[in-house]
Amino acid sequence: MSASDLNAFLAWAEENEIHWDRDAIEIREGKHGLGIYAKKDLQAGYEAIQVPKTIVLSVRSTGIANLLEEEDIEGYVGLTLACMYEHSKGKDSLWSVYLSLLDSRRPFIASDLSEDVREIMKKSEVYGEIETDLKDMREDYDSIVIPFLAKHPDIFTEEVKERFFSFEHFRLMTAHVSSRAMDVDNFHVSALVPFADLVNHEAEPNSDYLTHEDVCDICGALSCEHLDELDSDEEEDDEEAPELSGASKKRAAAKKAQSGSDDDEEDSDDEDWEDEINDTCDIILDEDVKKGEEITRHYGPFPNKIFLSKYGFAEIDNAHDTATIQIDMVKKTALAIVGDEALVEERLNWFLENEDTFISEDDPEEDGCCGGDHDHDHDHDHEHGHSHAHTHEKKEAEDDDSDEEEEEEEEDEDDFPRDIMYMMHDGTIDDRLLMLLNVIFMEKDQFVKIQDSLEVATEYFNDIFLRRALEEEDGLEEDEEEPKPEVKPLDETGRRIRKAVLEAILKVIHLRADAYKVSDQTSAEDDLEALKKSGLTGPAYYGEVCAVGEKQIIQSGLKLYSKLLSEL
Ligand SMILES: [Zn+2]
Ligand SMILES: [Zn+2]
Ligand SMILES: [Zn+2]
């Protein structure tokens, strides 16, 4: 990127009322590529960047918004098409200067990777992730993009299609979109937020991205005639501002911290009211930042395979990293131990049909996913659901008498791949795998009992989770203050099942290791040291980071479950 590109972008940003202080922050090249840096000491609460939503590029703001809506094209394909269209308009597009800044930097693209780098990535799950993305992209291009373009030959002439809408263009723009898009609100949904999108990810970030998420989904405003109509329909017609989301409350708090004034409640409410006229996407410091430091935020609790395939980087010792266990590995292991295929099938099917009754997706933020006490918004938009914590909520058995509810449930199920289970960053297996193995190895009469009664089953699983929680505490420093809940010592049957479960876990982990040819000749720590000395950079380096991270998980898991087995 040339200095003139950057200057043009800054002038454009100013024209479009993106707010930042040229004396306080700057855009420059750094260890994460282009990023935002402090030019002087800044305090927590400082509003570093404010981007008005009028300049956000989304499926709603693009010139082809009506066409996309007609065809019901949303998600990343919609946003990518919007960006390609604006790009094709050249200088006639409101975003031309911004898009040429993107154009000047080639994003991480899987098809650019050399054979050598591909070989490195094959040691990690990231390879499968990238291959799947590529396949999906091809399918989306053929089944959505091509028919859409064909439907509007007046706009997408043969010449325009060739110059701006080839599969290569689609792939390139998708890479920009997936690495930059931010969740804006229920009107714009996921969108490009110029300037704010230059803030890079850090595991321990110093800023937060905040915005009003609840807006009118017809026009995007915070208060408008549509919302007024809704209000009067509900006969709750009051003159007050629409309710503020958590984010905006935080913003009011941040503003208070910044001004240092002792505003009373009424005054800060007034400030929010003013904001509603000019709704913005804000980057606000939640820690003091020294002169020269980079301003960073947290992109979300993603495992490395997602960080790399989506954003082009991976994190050493990523607290959100996972290794996946295919359900076929579990089946194979169970069969080797039990030797009864019909039994394994029956129990597996029962588990898959009933597991939702006993487990619910936890909000990782509640437990402080990063182990730190930072308070930031995570983008929970990745499709690889995994439970971060081992806490449990009992869901009441629902009787679905409305069709609508049933449909929603089915959609939910599609979101979450049933045939994949996870090992977490610390080497522990997720709750689903622990439950499944217990179901497979439990006594026949016990299985009959839990089939008969959800209450008995719930009690059974709660006991397992309680034991697991105590086990995990054992590894930590003892907290004498808190009395431990009592569990009965395992009886002989309990010990037999426990032993089978632990042996199965170890076997499954070995199968996962073998599937990716994870060598036990060297430790993950050795590999990491070697990587640091290797001089590798870019995708090759990050591919190795993924492989080492997964090896670390496997190593921790083998160590943990061998220890538990030996203590039994
Ligand atoms: Zn409206
Ligand atoms: Zn994190
Ligand atoms: Zn976090």
Side-chain angles (χ1 to χ4, degrees):
M1 179 209 51
S2 68
S4 66
D5 277 341
L6 183 58
N7 284 330
F9 173 71
L10 294 176
W12 174 85
E14 229 157 39
E15 259 166 53
N16 288 286
E17 291 182 19
I18 294 176
H19 286 300
W20 82 101
D21 179 353
R22 281 179 187 257
D23 297 326
I25 62 167
E26 64 180 337
I27 300 174
R28 67 171 163 85
E29 211 63 51
K31 68 168 176 168
H32 297 117
L34 215 52
I36 310 279
Y37 289 81
K39 287 177 81 178
K40 60 182 186 189
D41 290 358
L42 299 169
Q43 283 184 341
Y46 178 74
E47 292 194 34
I49 305 162
Q50 278 184 291
V51 184
K53 287 189 182 170
T54 46
I55 197 65
V56 156
L57 174 48
S58 75
V59 289
R60 305 302 286 268
S61 63
T62 171
I64 53 167
N66 55 338
L67 303 183
L68 293 173
E69 195 175 0
E70 255 169 43
E71 303 299 321
D72 213 13
I73 301 178
E74 38 190 36
Y76 94 93
V77 182
L79 183 54
T80 303
L81 265 172
C83 294
M84 290 167 85
Y85 170 76
E86 295 301 331
H87 190 232
S88 77
K89 298 305 281 180
K91 295 250 178 298
D92 290 340
S93 167
L94 175 57
W95 294 278
S96 75
V97 176
Y98 168 66
L99 290 170
S100 13
L101 185 73
L102 297 200
D103 234 6
S104 67
R105 310 182 64 82
R106 195 166 172 84
F108 171 78
I109 297 184
S111 47
D112 288 351
L113 300 177
S114 68
E115 239 354 273
D116 290 355
V117 176
R118 285 176 170 273
E119 283 309 310
I120 290 175
M121 296 214 175
K122 278 182 189 167
K123 296 192 289 182
S124 153
E125 291 169 15
V126 73
Y127 188 78
E129 198 68 42
I130 286 172
E131 291 290 296
T132 308
D133 285 351
L134 216 58
K135 206 174 117 252
D136 291 349
M137 228 185 286
R138 184 80 238 184
E139 275 174 25
D140 290 337
Y141 183 76
D142 291 341
S143 67
I144 303 172
V145 178
I146 296 270
F148 176 76
L149 300 177
K151 215 164 179 175
H152 305 282
D154 47 327
I155 302 171
F156 308 108
T157 62
E158 286 308 317
E159 196 215 331
V160 165
K161 279 200 282 190
E162 202 173 303
R163 280 188 61 199
F164 299 104
F165 291 90
S166 69
F167 180 63
E168 266 318 298
H169 286 105
F170 179 68
R171 184 145 69 175
L172 185 65
M173 198 57 94
T174 298
H176 281 305
V177 162
S178 76
S179 64
R180 286 173 179 278
M182 296 161 75
D183 287 340
V184 173
D185 55 34
N186 54 316
F187 177 74
H188 290 291
V189 196
S190 188
L192 296 190
V193 185
F195 212 125
D197 64 356
L198 293 170
V199 177
N200 290 308
H201 167 88
E202 190 68 69
E204 286 171 30
N206 52 29
S207 83
D208 248 337
Y209 159 56
L210 298 176
T211 189
H212 292 84
E213 287 162 0
D214 289 321
V215 298
C216 169
D217 51 21
I218 300 167
C219 72
L222 277 160
S223 60
C224 65
E225 55 201 17
H226 310 113
L227 289 171
D228 288 347
E229 241 168 68
L230 266 181
D231 268 354
S232 52
D233 282 355
E234 286 165 13
E235 288 177 323
E236 283 176 345
D237 204 5
D238 56 10
E239 295 298 308
E240 278 177 50
E243 221 199 306
L244 296 165
S245 69
S248 60
K249 280 180 200 145
K250 270 194 258 172
R251 187 145 68 130
K255 268 197 168 160
K256 222 166 167 176
Q258 184 199 2
S259 63
S261 71
D262 238 345
D263 290 354
D264 64 19
E265 274 303 306
E266 252 168 38
D267 278 358
S268 47
D269 278 349
D270 284 347
E271 266 176 25
D272 276 326
W273 179 247
E274 275 167 38
D275 279 348
E276 278 148 30
I277 300 159
N278 233 334
D279 195 12
T280 54
C281 298
D282 301 350
I283 300 294
I284 298 183
L285 302 189
D286 55 12
E287 263 164 56
D288 294 351
V289 175
K290 290 248 174 309
K291 179 180 175 177
E293 270 177 17
E294 182 171 9
I295 294 173
T296 54
R297 68 182 187 95
H298 198 289
Y299 284 1
F302 300 121
N304 275 343
K305 48 194 162 275
I306 302 297
F307 272 143
L308 184 48
S309 59
K310 200 172 150 150
Y311 300 102
F313 66 83
E315 229 178 59
I316 289 173
D317 204 27
N318 175 4
H320 314 289
D321 211 7
T322 58
T324 54
I325 302 286
Q326 305 287 338
I327 217 159
D328 283 341
M329 296 176 181
V330 184
K331 257 200 247 182
K332 204 172 153 190
T333 300
L335 200 55
I337 296 175
V338 185
D340 181 343
E341 196 170 350
L343 180 146
V344 172
E345 283 293 333
E346 184 194 14
R347 305 235 174 147
L348 176 64
N349 290 336
W350 180 86
F351 170 77
L352 291 175
E353 276 162 31
N354 293 284
E355 60 169 321
D356 288 340
T357 318
F358 310 107
I359 210 162
S360 64
E361 188 76 358
D362 299 307
D363 183 353
E365 203 60 359
E366 276 174 30
D367 297 288
C369 65
C370 309
D373 57 359
H374 61 283
D375 179 23
H376 52 254
D377 290 327
H378 285 304
D379 304 318
H380 286 267
D381 61 354
H382 65 125
E383 59 276 65
H384 305 260
H386 51 269
S387 50
H388 273 256
H390 310 296
T391 50
H392 291 274
E393 286 161 41
K394 264 182 274 171
K395 268 207 287 182
E396 278 175 35
E398 298 156 27
D399 42 349
D400 295 331
D401 24 28
S402 98
D403 287 344
E404 216 177 273
E405 243 179 74
E406 238 159 41
E407 257 174 43
E408 269 173 37
E409 283 239 319
E410 272 162 32
E411 272 173 33
D412 274 355
E413 278 172 29
D414 287 338
D415 282 354
F416 146 38
R418 298 279 158 170
D419 56 348
I420 287 175
M421 294 172 171
Y422 296 94
M423 294 177 71
M424 315 316 266
H425 177 245
D426 60 2
T428 56
I429 58 165
D430 71 0
D431 296 331
R432 295 182 65 228
L433 180 50
L434 184 64
M435 287 167 75
L436 172 58
L437 289 173
N438 274 281
V439 171
I440 288 174
F441 295 119
M442 69 175 50
E443 298 284 285
K444 194 168 178 14
D445 62 332
Q446 181 68 51
F447 184 59
V448 171
K449 276 187 221 158
I450 69 164
Q451 276 177 301
D452 282 351
S453 158
L454 284 181
E455 260 163 69
V456 172
T458 303
E459 211 172 288
Y460 183 86
F461 291 123
N462 279 347
D463 182 64
I464 289 168
F465 294 130
L466 182 59
R467 286 175 196 279
R468 145 173 257 174
L470 291 175
E471 236 166 61
E472 285 175 1
E473 256 170 45
D474 277 350
L476 304 171
E477 268 181 51
E478 299 279 321
D479 187 356
E480 300 295 340
E481 306 280 303
E482 265 179 64
K484 283 188 179 183
E486 297 266 325
V487 285
K488 274 186 275 173
L490 289 173
D491 59 15
E492 207 183 308
T493 310
R495 283 170 54 88
R496 189 193 60 74
I497 295 166
R498 176 81 178 138
K499 185 159 176 280
V501 168
L502 289 171
E503 282 170 352
I505 293 172
L506 288 168
K507 279 211 172 92
V508 164
I509 297 176
H510 278 297
L511 284 179
R512 164 59 183 77
D514 294 346
Y516 289 83
K517 301 192 180 71
V518 177
S519 149
D520 53 11
Q521 302 298 304
T522 55
S523 70
E525 290 82 1
D526 295 339
D527 290 2
L528 187 59
E529 280 313 306
L531 173 58
K532 282 176 178 166
K533 288 178 196 143
S534 69
L536 285 178
T537 55
Y541 171 79
Y542 291 126
E544 288 285 1
V545 170
C546 286
V548 172
E550 288 165 23
K551 182 170 183 170
Q552 178 70 63
I553 293 173
I554 286 166
Q555 199 177 291
S556 304
L558 289 175
K559 203 173 142 199
L560 170 70
Y561 292 106
S562 305
K563 179 171 165 277
L564 292 177
L565 186 60
S566 73
E567 286 168 0
L568 194 68

